[in-house]
Amino acid sequence: MSGAAAGRTDTVEPGARRTRQRTAVLQALVGFRDFISAQALCALLTEAGVSVGLSTVYRTLRDLERAGRLDVVRDETGERLYRERPEDGHRHYLICRCCGRSRAVDTEVVEAWADRIGEHTGFTDVEHTLELTGVCAGCAPSAQQGETSCRQESPRRPSDPRRSPR
Amino acid sequence: MSGAAAGRTDTVEPGARRTRQRTAVLQALVGFRDFISAQALCALLTEAGVSVGLSTVYRTLRDLERAGRLDVVRDETGERLYRERPEDGHRHYLICRCCGRSRAVDTEVVEAWADRIGEHTGFTDVEHTLELTGVCAGCAPSAQQGETSCRQESPRRPSDPRRSPR
DNA sequence: GATGGACATGAAAATCATGTTCAGATAGTT
DNA sequence: AACTATCTGAACATGATTTTCATGTCCATC
Ligand SMILES: [Zn+2]
Ligand SMILES: [Zn+2]
Ligand SMILES: [Zn+2]
Ligand SMILES: [Zn+2]
């Protein structure tokens, strides 16, 4: 029980080196509670004075994803958005199409169903992807007047990180 | 009951012109019972002697998608794969990570669950994306010896269309 | 405290799916 | 046949992600 309680902002992978850049990416992800794109994250770091090369951000995110420490969703353009995975693991999120705010949803029902799918189909090693989008209570009013005011241009990609956090 | 029972390989959208290219894309989709990428579809048409420009394929697929006549999924690279939507509408598929074969799954449970999500969250206009992948019975044996023989290189993108049809 | 090699970085270039332009072809109508 | 709103496709543009590769850094060993 010494350095056992590691986990939070330690290293990307066991055996990986602890560098300024990886630490920065990891910390930024932990601090940033919404989904964020690789590029936005890079910009965020730069603004914070902890500049990290875009390639390194992508590499680190790739490694983190492999290590199962991230949740990844895709926005409607196919761009990947990352978020630190809460300690327990597998989750699904409901994301507002307007402001990008997200909240985890309870998916026991779906998980149970998905687990049973293999049996009926002869498929093994079944994995699933589930994404929910909607318009959050805060955005609903502005979206009323014809769906155009909110959803219109910016397709909820937090390319400007200062809009989604908090 | 003249041209009423339209629908199958008619026009992309009501009011759209019926051109050689759109007809070809439409027919190819109807004949091709698996998911296929825009590029693979284009290649397929070319091989079949019915060459259609890639731009046109993309445009036609975009229009068909808007018209609700296609199902679209994304492979792990983010590439979009299209399939003619069976007459009834909303469906989800279980896709083999090895051979790309897909089969629709019964999702009543999930649909009902998804419909109820809005109420608990304050979100409106909730939509969902659900994708299932696994290893089909036919591929399971070859995938045994260490997961490498099947899944390895070609990550199940039917870029060579002759492998998935039928 | 020098050395060597394994691993890491980042700028720049490569990839690659998809979108856009626009001059010329075409469908559908009169 | 003539007319014109559409449609087409080659070439180019875009933008996210990946690769390359020259250079930097860590660390164990001498
Ligand atoms: Zn919102
Ligand atoms: Zn799940
Ligand atoms: Zn298979
Ligand atoms: Zn559904």
Side-chain angles (χ1 to χ4, degrees), chain A residues 24 42-43 47 60 64 72 78 83 127 136 147 164:
Chain A
C42 183
E47 283 179 22
T60 305
L64 284 170
V72 185
R83 173 173 176 167
E127 297 171 5
C136 79
E147 299 282 16
S164 346

Side-chain angles (χ1 to χ4, degrees), chain A residues 96 98-101 135-136 138-139:
Chain A
C96 176
C98 293
C99 65
R101 234 173 301 235
V135 180
C136 79
C139 291

Side-chain angles (χ1 to χ4, degrees), chain B residues 17 19-22 52-53 55-56 59:
Chain B
R17 287 185 184 168
T19 66
R20 173 181 70 76
Q21 292 86 342
R22 289 185 183 173
V52 177
S55 319
T56 300
R59 268 189 298 245

Side-chain angles (χ1 to χ4, degrees), chain B residues 128-158:
Chain B
H128 64 274
T129 295
L130 171 63
E131 288 170 28
L132 296 156
T133 65
V135 180
C136 79
C139 291
S142 53
Q144 277 181 350
Q145 343 173 335
E147 300 280 18
T148 41
S149 58
C150 173
R151 176 189 306 207
Q152 184 147 57
E153 266 317 289
S154 84
R156 95 131 248 294
R157 116 212 280 179

